[in-house]
Amino acid sequence: MIELKDIAYVRSGVADLEAAVRFATEIVGLQRVASDEPGVVHLRADARHHCLALVEGRSGVISSGFTVADEDALALAESDLERRGFVVGRLDALAARSRRVRSGIAFDDPFGNRLELVCQQQAITRPVGFTRPAGITEFGHLCLDAPDVHEAYRFWNSHFNARVSDWIGDAACLMRIDPVHHKLAVFRGDGPGLCHINFQVASIDDVFRNWHFLVEHGVEIEMGPGRHPQSTAIFVYFLGPEGFTYEYSFGVRRIEDDASWVPRTFDPAEPGSVDMWLGPIARTTSQPQLHDHEVVPA
Ligand SMILES: [Fe+2]
């Protein structure tokens, strides 16, 4: 059993780096972290050095990172995954530096989503210098695509400490690795990809202020404002450059009594199963997974 401590980051490839950075800073509100690494821009939302790295090149998601406790946990995870038949690569010094982690490994899930397990992700103590006051409090969750969410759950639950919090039929599996209702989700999609990344905001007012801001700036709203019955979070999803979907949300449920929580199943065809406020439902845009990997086995 590999214990995931937290989500760490998403790396995304972009053909137009400056346009993607402009959106991430001026629209989403993230802080651009100063860096001397050519072609890579790190974006910060909380104590993590960054939670999003935009990498100039082909458009598509590169990898999603999760933290494990320490070097020993990472080595155990590496041997465990190899024993189970996964092809695992080690991050070299440059790859680790670019991720601001001490070390890490990379491998594909059974659907082709590129995952990275890392340890000692750098933290920054200075307050985040948000580009605009969106009210972001933290990198909340990340959501991957897979053709079969039940198979995806088998993967996450048999190898990792991920537990299902709720199902949306065959359409989504919402999973927790700590008391937050979901820090990880898998949505049904044709192939591997990044469904969206989420930023928690401080209040319902931030969700609605942000919604108005996005509309005023001509940003495509994909869904919301609405409220998810599973997590009780009030959300708005919107589309960034190169098919990258962002979400702001407020008020995610915490499951403090883990043992007594019984996962529920919601029928996606039932009105209110995705948005309790009965707004229009849309499958948000996913960014496809890239397969020319940055980290390959030695
Ligand atoms: Fe979400």
Side-chain angles (χ1 to χ4, degrees), residues 33-77:
V33 183
S35 165
D36 52 8
E37 192 180 350
V40 179
V41 172
H42 298 99
L43 295 144
R44 183 179 172 220
D46 53 26
R48 294 168 180 88
H49 174 274
H50 66 276
C51 58
L52 175 61
L54 297 173
V55 182
E56 192 164 33
R58 284 183 55 204
S59 191
V61 63
I62 295 167
S63 59
S64 300
F66 298 81
T67 43
V68 296
D70 52 26
E71 290 281 2
D72 287 349
L74 188 67
L76 278 174

Side-chain angles (χ1 to χ4, degrees), residues 38 40 62 73 121 143 145 153 155 169 195 198 240 242 244 253 287:
V40 179
I62 295 167
Q121 182 182 29
C143 176
D145 278 0
Y153 183 60
F155 165 75
C195 184
N198 167 282
E242 313 206 22
F244 194 97
R253 180 196 298 275
Q287 188 176 62

